[in-house]
Amino acid sequence: MAEALSRFRLPASLGGRTAFWLILALMLVQAAGLTIHALDRVDLQRFIHAREIAGRAFGAWRTAILAPADRREQMLADLDLPDGLSVELDRQPAVRVGAQPPPADVMRLFRLDLVNSGPPRLRPREVRLGAHAPGGFLASLRLPDGDWLNIRVEMPPPRPWHSATFLVAFVVMTVAAVLLILWAVARLMRPVRLLAEAADRLGRDVNAPPLPEGGPSEVATAARAFNVMAGRIRRFVADRTQMLAAIGHDLRTPITRLRLRAEFMDDDEQRRKMLSDLDEMEQMIAATLAFARDDAAAEPATPVDLAALCRTVADEAADARPELAEAIAFEGPERLTIRARPIALKRAIANLVSNALAYGGAARLRLVPPEGGVVRLAVEDDGPGIPEAELEAVFTPFRRLEASRNRETGGTGLGLTIARNILRAHGGDVVLTNRPQGGLRAVASLPA
Ligand SMILES: Nc1ncnc2c1ncn2[C@@H]1O[C@H](COP(=O)(O)OP(=O)(O)OP(=O)(O)O)[C@@H](O)[C@H]1O
Ligand SMILES: [Mg+2]
């Protein structure tokens, strides 16, 4: 019992908990109501039963005293007596002298004090009363000719659930009340659920449609506050993007001017270096602008065959780096369709694959079918991996590790940032781990 209690967990959701407590309270109230009803019913039953037995016992006595002595026994046997009452003729009284008298409540219930009332010719010559079975009694009444009429009374056990229809009606009522509670709670919790869903949507897409601001006042207030907050976030993101675009744009003009001036340099070597630096700067600005524009958000989600997408990325990577074609492989199901933004998703996967090839010299893609509503795609390589402390840091924009500072092997340090942005916008994520055998494993997860 204690173990079962300690293993018991409240339902996780607010609605579940509310319904749980309401139903528990309903059960307590129903149990109390049922008990009150049953006690009342048992009381009434006892009273009616006692009255009937008392009346019938008196009838038996009248039969005994009025019948001729020779037919007395027969006539008593012919009486149809209710449950719990039996009478018999005997030479001896069933109640011995000095026997315990029946308790006062039994005396009162059966009106035993009335035994000696009535016309004198019907009164017993002697009456002895004794206790018998809980709630019952023994009475020995002496007939005028000396015989005894022994009356035995036992109260039948109480039957609180006398009628089946009552129980059925009670169960139906309880079930109806439980259903009503579940319905009401589900209705009440709907706005909370909607709010949670909207917050989740906003996390993936700042341009998600606003919440309806109707319903009960608290819900409307919360929805309004939420919409205002979403608007502020949108404006903040837009401002930031605009600022990045403006900086990028304004930097282009001085770079162009520098490029022109470089042409006038006499030292060929210095001029070449200068122009290559300027090229690099332009590339970085272009990448930054592309990142800031975030085209992914505008693309609509459609059903995408993830397996085919992975194969395409692998093929294109092999075409781009023919010398590494042998080290590129895809393993997974024939088809795996999910809802996604295909161009963005392809970019995310391509970024992971290009990193694996650039820093690990190989790219093995492994697609795992949905498990618990999540599809996983692992991209593994044979490179040096990333120091444990940097596994998260490399996701920040422009973060590049010492080893890859050489421009030949890498770009701007936005590849992982973009990949993670895209996957999170899909409701998924990407994490990096070092493989025990060496090399890096990037695992992208997506909702199936
Ligand atoms: N598979 C990998 N093995 C080892 N280091 C890696 C791997 N993938 C990424 N890194 C490290 O993480 C850094 C950030 O990667 P990220 O893809 O964000 O930028 P990048 O590849 O340098 O530039 P780009 O914007 O062109 O992708 C890389 O510079 C590299 O140091
Ligand atoms: Mg990269």
Side-chain angles (χ1 to χ4, degrees):
M1 179 67 191
E3 196 197 343
L5 264 184
S6 70
R7 241 187 297 131
F8 173 78
R9 290 275 170 280
L10 273 181
S13 70
L14 181 60
R17 283 186 192 190
T18 313
F20 173 80
W21 289 118
L22 281 177
I23 290 174
L24 194 72
L26 174 77
M27 291 301 157
L28 288 179
V29 169
Q30 293 284 67
L34 210 58
T35 313
I36 292 171
H37 172 90
L39 288 179
D40 190 50
R41 198 185 166 97
V42 165
D43 240 27
L44 192 69
Q45 250 178 15
R46 253 164 63 88
F47 183 76
I48 294 173
H49 215 82
R51 279 298 133 87
E52 189 189 354
I53 286 182
R56 301 293 280 276
F58 184 65
W61 165 249
R62 275 174 66 110
T63 309
I65 199 168
L66 295 178
D70 53 335
R71 295 192 43 220
R72 196 180 277 150
E73 193 128 10
Q74 185 56 43
M75 287 178 71
L76 279 174
D78 286 347
L79 286 179
D80 179 22
L81 297 176
D83 270 359
L85 172 64
S86 62
V87 296
E88 59 181 13
L89 278 175
D90 201 345
R91 303 220 147 271
Q92 298 299 322
V95 186
R96 310 255 159 260
V97 185
Q100 186 93 355
D105 62 322
V106 173
M107 300 274 284
R108 229 177 301 117
L109 190 61
F110 290 91
R111 308 295 311 267
L112 292 180
D113 50 318
L114 294 182
V115 171
N116 270 323
S117 63
R121 64 188 180 90
L122 291 182
R123 284 188 203 163
R125 299 258 302 278
E126 191 186 342
V127 177
R128 291 192 194 170
L129 295 173
H132 178 56
F137 65 92
L138 277 177
S140 297
L141 310 182
R142 190 159 191 191
L143 290 158
D145 58 7
D147 274 356
W148 291 83
L149 181 70
N150 290 323
I151 300 175
R152 239 181 212 89
V153 172
E154 283 161 18
M155 272 304 235
R159 288 195 304 172
W161 321 122
H162 184 59
S163 93
T165 45
F166 170 78
L167 270 190
V168 171
F170 190 81
V171 169
V172 168
M173 196 176 88
T174 309
V175 170
V178 167
L179 291 181
L180 208 67
I181 286 179
L182 293 180
W183 175 78
V185 167
R187 231 188 107 87
L188 217 64
M189 290 306 145
R190 221 176 78 90
V192 179
R193 216 186 49 238
L194 286 183
L195 197 65
E197 281 170 10
D200 189 45
R201 254 202 321 274
L202 183 72
R204 298 179 197 185
D205 176 8
V206 267
N207 294 315
L211 269 180
E213 295 179 1
S217 59
E218 293 88 345
V219 176
T221 312
R224 245 193 318 277
F226 182 85
N227 286 341
V228 170
M229 179 190 76
R232 282 197 195 119
I233 293 178
R234 249 194 306 278
R235 223 169 315 129
F236 175 73
V237 172
D239 286 354
R240 196 197 58 159
T241 312
Q242 217 171 13
M243 187 185 73
L244 272 175
I247 294 175
H249 181 267
D250 291 356
L251 276 178
R252 276 205 179 137
T253 323
I255 288 179
T256 314
R257 274 205 303 267
L258 275 176
R259 197 188 289 284
L260 286 173
R261 291 199 181 131
E263 299 295 345
F264 294 106
M265 283 175 78
D266 294 332
D267 188 334
D268 280 356
E269 172 67 10
Q270 288 300 325
R271 185 174 61 231
R272 203 185 51 71
K273 281 190 180 159
M274 180 102 160
L275 286 176
S276 116
D277 276 353
L278 288 171
D279 274 348
E280 198 176 287
M281 268 174 92
E282 271 193 325
Q283 258 178 36
M284 282 172 75
I285 290 172
T288 310
L289 282 181
F291 173 59
R293 260 205 321 276
D294 195 10
D295 314 303
E299 191 188 356
T302 52
V304 178
D305 182 357
L306 195 55
L309 193 74
C310 289
R311 260 182 240 116
T312 311
V313 171
D315 287 347
E316 286 178 6
D319 288 346
R321 316 263 315 249
E323 76 281 8
L324 288 177
E326 292 290 302
I328 302 175
F330 170 75
E331 177 193 326
E334 256 322 286
R335 304 176 55 84
L336 208 173
T337 307
I338 61 165
R339 267 193 85 74
R341 305 186 184 106
I343 299 176
L345 195 57
K346 185 175 168 194
R347 193 165 162 209
I349 298 173
N351 283 355
L352 298 181
V353 170
S354 86
N355 279 355
L357 289 175
Y359 310 110
R364 285 184 296 279
L365 288 82
R366 197 152 29 82
L367 185 60
V368 188
E371 255 174 44
V374 179
V375 184
R376 289 203 165 73
L377 170 67
V379 181
E380 296 180 350
D381 62 49
D382 300 323
I386 295 179
E388 292 293 325
E390 296 283 343
L391 281 175
E392 271 302 306
V394 287
F395 284 103
T396 44
F398 307 110
R399 179 68 165 215
R400 312 195 68 233
L401 300 186
E402 276 312 318
S404 55
R405 274 287 146 85
N406 173 6
R407 285 242 144 248
E408 303 302 310
T409 56
T412 36
L414 283 173
L416 286 175
T417 317
I418 292 172
R420 180 168 261 185
N421 269 359
I422 291 173
L423 285 162
R424 287 196 171 164
H426 279 82
D429 202 357
V430 53
V431 288
L432 301 178
T433 45
N434 287 308
R435 300 198 304 141
Q437 311 90 315
L440 193 79
R441 175 190 291 132
V443 180
S445 53
L446 280 165

